[in-house]
Amino acid sequence: MTSRPEHLPERLALISDVQAAEFISTGLLEGREDVPSIALNKIAERLPGDDARLRLDRVRDLIEHALSRFGNERPTAADAWLAPRLHETLRITRREAAEKGFWTYLALGVAPDYVVWRHLSEPKADGSPGRVARDRFVGPHYKQTFARLWWAAELFRDGSDYRPVVVACGNQDMLNSALRLDVIDHRPTALALVRLMERGSVRTGREVNALTSAVNAAAATLMYDVIALDVESDREPLREWIAGAESSPPSPRNELPRGPEEERVPEGAVERLIVHFEELFAYAQVRGRISDESE
């Protein structure tokens, strides 16, 4: 199995898809080879400055704890634990998170062993080995191993409260479906989806997929940000939270961290969307649902 990279530098870095291609071998994808970290770090672009939040050891320590904590469980169990803590540890802006090379370096230069552990498929019936999909290293934000967790934490948190993130990331269908949708950028929409899961209105993967599809389709004619107004964004709490990285302790391992102290989503806006989404779900096509089959 792929092991911890050796000779790790002090700072996080960037690496392009073209550069990454040289290091994504069949052996790596099958968990048989390590990334040649010295060669990779020779071509990686170091992030400038001495900002504490971009120290590599903070992220690596967190990931090693996740590997130790969930090593004997199903790898999917780690998502709900790691997502809020990765978000709180990195303390980056959305603009910084949009830099694809940042996540590629995190996957190849910092924690390829985690990527393989988390996403290596089971061996096939014909005896051929399991394999990690290439896009877990260099894919879009809703596929790449660490980008998907960071964006889930960013989009599902309620101000400083990461509890909705844990719920969303605890359901692989929600995590895989919702991050693809533009409407999830509307905070009341994201929290309404989580609340429907918490209330048991949607339970199975099929139900989650049907709900998110219906919500996304309805967004073509309904403006959720008009139906359910969010508060106006104030970036000052985010700036203060980022500045606090210099003196912040490691992200707590046994309790949830706190995100930036932004204003919470208005409860009335979430409730209005819950009612609307329940109506949408009542008429959604859910494969295997008795009412749908009879129709």
Side-chain angles (χ1 to χ4, degrees):
M1 184 66 72
T2 303
S3 59
R4 182 187 192 276
E6 298 181 354
H7 310 292
L8 289 172
E10 294 183 0
R11 309 281 298 163
L12 294 172
L14 308 175
I15 187 169
S16 70
D17 284 3
V18 173
Q19 293 169 322
E22 177 183 347
F23 300 94
I24 304 177
S25 64
T26 299
L28 174 65
L29 295 179
E30 292 179 353
R32 297 183 287 102
E33 296 178 359
D34 294 329
V35 175
S37 58
I38 294 178
L40 182 140
N41 281 296
K42 283 182 178 179
I43 65 170
E45 178 187 349
R46 291 284 172 271
L47 291 169
D50 57 358
D51 195 334
R53 66 204 171 106
L54 298 178
R55 280 176 23 210
L56 188 149
D57 63 316
R58 290 165 62 98
V59 185
R60 182 64 212 186
D61 289 349
L62 178 69
I63 290 169
E64 287 189 359
H65 187 92
L67 285 167
S68 174
R69 188 183 189 105
F70 296 96
N72 295 322
E73 300 184 34
R74 293 184 63 183
T76 52
D79 288 349
W81 184 89
L82 183 56
R85 292 168 177 85
L86 181 69
H87 186 274
E88 192 267 347
T89 296
L90 290 174
R91 301 199 184 199
I92 57 178
T93 65
R94 289 192 180 191
R95 177 176 292 183
E96 290 170 323
E99 173 56 71
K100 195 168 182 285
F102 178 83
W103 302 112
T104 302
Y105 181 79
L106 204 58
L108 280 173
V110 180
D113 51 337
Y114 183 89
V115 178
V116 171
W117 171 79
R118 172 61 184 83
H119 292 291
L120 184 67
S121 64
E122 293 293 329
K124 297 179 182 178
D126 62 5
S128 56
R131 191 179 177 94
V132 178
R134 189 176 184 275
D135 56 16
R136 298 303 185 181
F137 285 98
V138 294
H141 75 279
Y142 53 83
K143 281 281 192 179
Q144 205 271 354
T145 299
F146 298 112
R148 69 197 284 266
L149 296 180
W150 188 93
W151 279 105
E154 173 67 9
L155 296 171
F156 282 105
R157 65 183 175 87
D158 185 6
S160 64
D161 186 3
Y162 286 116
R163 285 176 297 178
V165 178
V166 174
V167 176
C169 292
N171 184 297
Q172 290 298 302
D173 292 280
M174 178 61 74
L175 183 56
N176 293 333
S177 299
L179 290 185
R180 299 170 183 262
L181 309 179
D182 289 339
V183 294
I184 209 67
D185 193 43
H186 180 234
R187 297 197 306 163
T189 295
L191 290 187
L193 292 174
V194 169
R195 295 282 182 85
L196 288 171
M197 293 173 58
E198 290 179 315
R199 295 180 181 187
S201 299
V202 290
R203 296 183 179 86
T204 68
R206 290 178 179 179
E207 290 176 343
V208 168
N209 288 329
L211 172 64
T212 54
S213 295
V215 167
N216 193 52
T221 56
L222 295 172
M223 298 180 67
Y224 296 143
D225 56 349
V226 174
I227 297 173
L229 288 174
D230 197 358
V231 295
E232 187 173 344
S233 178
D234 178 5
R235 307 314 293 172
E236 187 58 31
L238 178 63
R239 286 191 287 268
E240 292 177 355
W241 183 68
I242 288 174
E246 294 290 339
S247 58
S248 66
S251 193
R253 295 342 191 203
N254 296 317
E255 59 186 39
L256 281 177
R258 292 189 65 81
E261 296 293 338
E262 296 170 332
E263 192 169 347
R264 296 174 70 99
V265 178
E267 187 63 27
V270 177
E271 289 296 332
R272 278 192 293 277
L273 286 181
I274 288 173
V275 172
H276 181 62
F277 291 169
E278 284 179 330
E279 293 175 355
L280 290 176
F281 181 63
Y283 292 98
Q285 294 293 315
V286 181
R287 190 159 56 93
R289 188 160 65 178
I290 295 176
S291 60
D292 292 332
E293 295 295 328
S294 62
E295 291 173 4

